[in-house]
């Protein structure tokens, strides 16, 4: 990759892969899925010396969006994504926090809802948006076609797929999202997912047992 740099910071008890992604030419950065553990995120931001200008959300679960409202307030940057179909989940974060003992988690209303075909930008980098329902109804993936790189949230994992048994989940829709939108990106596309190690579309197409 030429200008994209990314650091993965696992956050919350769910070990969610919060991703600090930046344009290495300009050092402008986006925090993707700040679910919690803000001190850890602040440290990563300071160490990489980037300037965070955006927050992007793949979907509305607490481990992905629980600290988004607080980070937005602290940095004064806009939140982009997910798709509007996540509104009910984003409005349920504080209640989930009580259940999971994440008492600082707050509900969040994004500054910009995203839809299929939209574009988001950080520095000179432009990412396309794919609406990938199934794990949750408004999950989105961010794709940089030129650099063959994507962030897919909890839609697809290395050797697994997202759960579809949570509110708004739909197994058939999830499989369709993966087969119709992610697989066609091409075997050489590398991706970071919401939990666990990164992978490539090619590896998952060939060996993911859920896609047989
Ligand atoms: Zn999730
Ligand atoms: Zn997750």
């Amino acid at each position: 990759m030429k200008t994209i740099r990314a650091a993965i910071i696992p956050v919350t008890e769910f070990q969610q892969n919060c991703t600090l992604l930046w344009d290495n030419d300009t050092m402008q950065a986006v925090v993707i899925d700040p679910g919690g553990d803000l001190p850890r995120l602040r440290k990563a931001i300071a160490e990489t010396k980037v300037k965070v200008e955006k927050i992007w959300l793949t979907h509305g679960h607490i481990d992905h969006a629980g600290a988004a409202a607080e980070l937005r307030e602290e940095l004064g940057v806009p939140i982009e994504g997910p798709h509007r179909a996540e509104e009910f989940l984003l409005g349920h974060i504080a209640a989930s926090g009580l259940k999971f003992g994440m008492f600082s988690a707050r509900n969040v209303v994004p500054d910009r809802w995203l839809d299929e075909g939209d574009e988001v930008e950080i520095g000179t980098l432009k990412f396309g948006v794919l609406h990938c329902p199934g794990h949750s109804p408004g999950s989105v993936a961010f794709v940089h076609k030129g650099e063959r790189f994507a962030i897919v949230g909890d839609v697809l994992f290395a050797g697994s797929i997202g759960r579809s048994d949570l509110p708004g989940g739909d197994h058939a829709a999830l499989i369709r999202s993966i087969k119709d939108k992610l697989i066609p990106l091409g075997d050489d596309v590398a991706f970071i997912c919401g939990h666990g190690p990164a992978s490539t579309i090619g590896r998952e197409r060939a060996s993911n047992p859920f896609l047989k």
Side-chain angles (χ1 to χ4, degrees), residues 58-64 86 135-136 139 153-155 157 163 166 195:
T58 62
H59 65 295
H61 287 152
I62 188 169
D63 51 330
H64 296 256
E86 294 296 274
H135 170 65
S136 64
S139 281
D154 286 356
V155 175
F157 300 120
R163 318 173 40 163
L166 300 167
H195 304 267

Side-chain angles (χ1 to χ4, degrees), residues 116-140:
E116 178 82 13
D118 281 349
E119 224 171 44
V120 288
E121 295 181 30
I122 189 67
T124 62
L125 304 172
K126 287 184 172 56
F127 283 72
V129 172
L130 296 176
H131 179 208
C132 297
H135 170 65
S136 64
S139 281
V140 297

Side-chain angles (χ1 to χ4, degrees), residues 1-5 22-26 124-125 144 147:
M1 288 191 278
K2 290 195 307 260
T3 53
I4 301 179
R5 291 289 180 279
W22 67 99
D23 178 335
N24 203 44
D25 290 338
T26 68
T124 62
L125 304 172
H144 195 298
E147 299 294 328

